[in-house]
């Protein structure tokens, strides 16, 4: 048996219809190596990593500094418990995270993945409210289409019918407010315009902020925290919010003593242009969840950074049971923390954010041609995230039937041109590693364009 046979025989893949995966016509791509922006398959073929290995990778694969940091750490120790002990790399990483997030006097709680970082955030908020004597503040508010991971708490804060429908009876209730994404906003009176980002041409009265204010007023003293992915909602289809929403929403929460929980699992570490998306607006969260890019895309380490106010609610005599009784075996993993420190160092030594300014311009150039295709409804970009929404009808924004899987077909076609990326429904997306050259960025958009032409010829 070769690796693909072993996979077919023994593996169950995430977010995958396994009947299709295991059908005789499907030959899985078996990745065996990577370098920079390139992923190499077992059959020798090379692909561009167009979604940074599901939004995790930052500086490229086999980045020398990160490889070395992991090797050096391996020569000392791979892992030791964070329960009742600490380790030097995790402690140093915590200090750096407090500094880069700008959460004054903040504290860092480590876990493993985006979902666990969010799960910890939700439990912290809930318990802190009780311990502060605010027992009535039990309701989380979160955005339509929001996605925060697949654990039960993270799903409860999410509103993704496709992913969460089957689990509804397991979830706790949260108050959903409309997503402020402009392209399909029912309050945006502007007609679709080719070449124009719906955020820039929108005609509205900030109804999204109005709806949030209504929810906050209705909930009153029951509102605990507003949970959202700032500026870009990833799994909802790279929905992009107009500049100013976050600031207005944060102010509305602040006025009413409602905490702001930001999920920067996807947007963090330079993806949107600034280190964190909230840094594009005058906002500092009470809690922020970090994962994916935290280790440069190498190892599963996540962090929930909290304000001192929330942390302090857990202090007390042991017998008061104010402890945060929550944790994971691999919390503070030394190899992962060493990788994260090395990744953060690259931001400084290489001036990654400055370099990304030029890369995102190049990406924008490549994306602009998609406007000429009649089935492209929207092309949107925020930093190093590009999204192309495919529609059946440009004027009405009508979608293709779900079952046609147009986005999937296009990405499958793009593979033949050397690009690996995964659509979200009919939204094609590119999220290149920051080490991508101008040529590689152009190749990515070209491959996607070829894929689009093959599935929907003009
Ligand atoms: C915004 C956001 N939050 C949370 C998660 C969950 O992260 P993980 O898959 O690491 O659990 C994701 C994953 O895509 C995400 O995009």
């Amino acid at each position: 048996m070769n690796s693909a046979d072993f996979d077919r025989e023994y593996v169950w893949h995430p977010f995958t219809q396994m009947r299709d995966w295991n059908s005789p016509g499907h030959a899985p791509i078996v990745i065996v190596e990577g370098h920079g922006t390139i992923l190499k398959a077992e059959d020798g073929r090379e692909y561009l990593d167009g979604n940074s290995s599901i939004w995790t990778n930052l500086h490229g694969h086999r980045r020398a500094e990160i490889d070395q940091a992991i090797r050096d750490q391996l020569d000392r120790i791979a892992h030791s418990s964070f329960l009742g002990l600490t380790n030097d790399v995790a402690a140093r990483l915590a200090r750096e995270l407090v500094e880069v997030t700008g959460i004054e006097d903040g504290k860092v709680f480590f876990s493993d993945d985006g979902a666990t970082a969010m799960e910890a955030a939700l439990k912290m908020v809930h318990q802190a409210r009780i311990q502060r004597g605010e027992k009535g503040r039990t309701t989380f508010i979160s955005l339509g289409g929001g996605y925060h991971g697949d654990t039960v708490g993270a799903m409860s804060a999410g509103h993704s019918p496709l992913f969460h429908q089957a689990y509804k009876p397991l979830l706790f209730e949260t108050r959903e407010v409309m997503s402020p994404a402009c392209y399909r906003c029912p309050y945006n009176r502007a007609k679709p315009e080719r070449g124009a980002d719906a955020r820039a041409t929108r005609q509205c009265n900030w109804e999204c902020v109005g709806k949030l204010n209504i929810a906050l007023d209705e909930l009153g003293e029951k509102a605990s925290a507003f949970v959202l992915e700032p500026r870009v909602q990833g799994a909802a289809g790279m929905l992009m919010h107009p500049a100013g929403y976050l600031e207005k929403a944060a102010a509305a929460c602040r006025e009413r003593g409602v905490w702001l929980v930001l999920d920067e699992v996807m947007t963090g570490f330079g993806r949107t242009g600034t280190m964190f998306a909230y840094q594009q607006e005058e906002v500092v969260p009470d809690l922020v969840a970090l994962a994916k890019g935290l280790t440069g895309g190498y190892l599963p380490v996540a962090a929930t950074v909290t304000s001192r106010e929330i942390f302090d609610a857990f202090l007390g005599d042991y017998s008061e049971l104010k402890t945060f009784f929550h944790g994971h075996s691999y919390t503070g993993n030394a190899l992962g923390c060493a990788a994260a420190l090395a990744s953060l160092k690259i931001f400084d030594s290489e001036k990654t954010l400055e370099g990304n300014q030029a890369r995102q311009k190049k990406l924008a150039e490549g994306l602009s041609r998609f406007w000429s295709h009649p089935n492209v409804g929207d092309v949107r970009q925020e930093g190093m995230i590009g999204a192309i929404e495919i529609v059946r009808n440009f004027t009405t924004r009508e979608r293709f039937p779900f079952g046609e899987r147009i986005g999937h077909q296009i990405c499958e076609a793009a593979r033949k041109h050397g690009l690996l990326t995964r659509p979200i429904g009919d939204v094609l997306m590119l999220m290149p590693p920051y080490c991508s050259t101008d040529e590689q960025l152009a190749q990515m958009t070209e491959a996607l364009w070829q894929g689009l032409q093959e599935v929907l010829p003009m």
Side-chain angles (χ1 to χ4, degrees), residues 392-406:
R392 179 136 91 176
N393 185 313
F394 176 80
T395 314
T396 63
R397 304 184 183 98
E398 182 196 347
R399 294 181 167 95
F400 279 98
F402 177 73
E404 284 192 28
R405 303 187 74 196
I406 290 289

Side-chain angles (χ1 to χ4, degrees), residues 54-55 112-116 118 147-150 229 232 234-235 263-267 291-292:
I54 204 72
W55 319 347
D112 320 322
D113 280 291
T116 56
M118 283 305 295
Y147 176 77
H148 305 290
D150 299 328
E229 297 155 81
V232 186
D263 178 346
E264 290 257 7
V265 168
M266 190 272 293
T267 48
K292 288 197 186 271

Side-chain angles (χ1 to χ4, degrees), residues 2-241:
N2 60 26
S3 322
D5 295 330
F6 280 126
D7 182 285
R8 264 192 287 266
E9 191 69 23
Y10 299 109
V11 179
W12 188 346
H13 286 267
F15 287 96
T16 301
Q17 176 42 258
M18 292 305 290
R19 196 175 70 174
D20 293 344
W21 181 269
N22 286 334
S23 68
H26 178 247
I29 295 175
V30 182
I31 300 297
V32 290
E33 273 178 43
H35 198 272
T37 299
I38 303 291
L39 293 171
K40 194 169 172 189
E42 200 174 41
D43 62 5
R45 284 205 63 179
E46 292 191 343
Y47 298 91
L48 291 157
D49 189 357
N51 74 356
S52 290
S53 294
I54 204 72
W55 319 347
T56 57
N57 194 278
L58 302 184
H59 312 289
H61 299 279
R62 295 197 50 212
R63 180 66 201 222
E65 296 93 319
I66 305 179
D67 290 2
Q68 194 55 48
I70 294 173
R71 281 195 198 100
D72 290 347
Q73 184 57 42
L74 203 50
D75 284 340
R76 299 199 295 135
I77 188 170
H79 181 70
S80 57
S81 172
F82 219 54
L83 279 68
L85 297 168
T86 188
N87 71 64
D88 56 341
V89 261
R92 281 197 292 129
L93 177 60
R95 183 190 156 276
E96 299 249 340
L97 291 178
V98 168
E99 196 173 305
V100 282
T101 54
I103 299 183
E104 223 178 287
D105 284 334
K107 289 281 184 177
V108 177
F109 188 89
F110 286 110
S111 61
D112 320 322
D113 280 291
T116 56
M118 283 305 295
E119 198 78 22
L122 299 171
K123 285 177 70 176
M124 280 172 182
V125 167
H126 182 78
Q127 191 174 341
R129 289 299 191 191
I130 294 170
Q131 289 169 186
R132 285 161 53 94
E134 299 162 332
K135 287 194 174 63
R137 285 204 183 266
T138 53
T139 306
F140 289 96
I141 302 167
S142 49
L143 288 185
Y147 176 77
H148 305 290
D150 299 328
T151 53
V152 169
M155 279 195 292
S156 300
H159 297 283
S160 171
L162 177 66
F163 299 158
H164 301 154
Q165 206 163 299
Y167 312 104
K168 214 78 201 148
L170 303 181
L171 309 184
F172 60 81
E173 206 173 314
T174 52
R175 172 72 181 252
E176 177 179 342
V177 291
M178 67 175 287
S179 159
C182 303
Y183 177 59
R184 290 186 182 278
C185 176
Y187 300 101
N188 180 4
R189 297 183 305 278
K191 298 242 177 324
E193 250 179 74
R194 285 198 198 284
D197 185 318
R199 288 172 293 175
T201 59
R202 80 196 149 84
Q203 289 172 28
C204 70
N205 295 311
W206 286 107
E207 281 84 351
C208 50
V209 178
K211 296 282 180 194
L212 173 64
N213 274 304
I214 291 171
L216 286 165
D217 288 341
E218 281 176 7
L219 288 167
E221 295 289 306
K222 286 192 197 134
S224 178
F226 182 32
V227 179
L228 72 157
E229 297 155 81
R231 290 183 69 106
V232 186
Q233 290 176 257
M238 296 300 155
L239 302 184
M240 296 184 188
H241 304 167

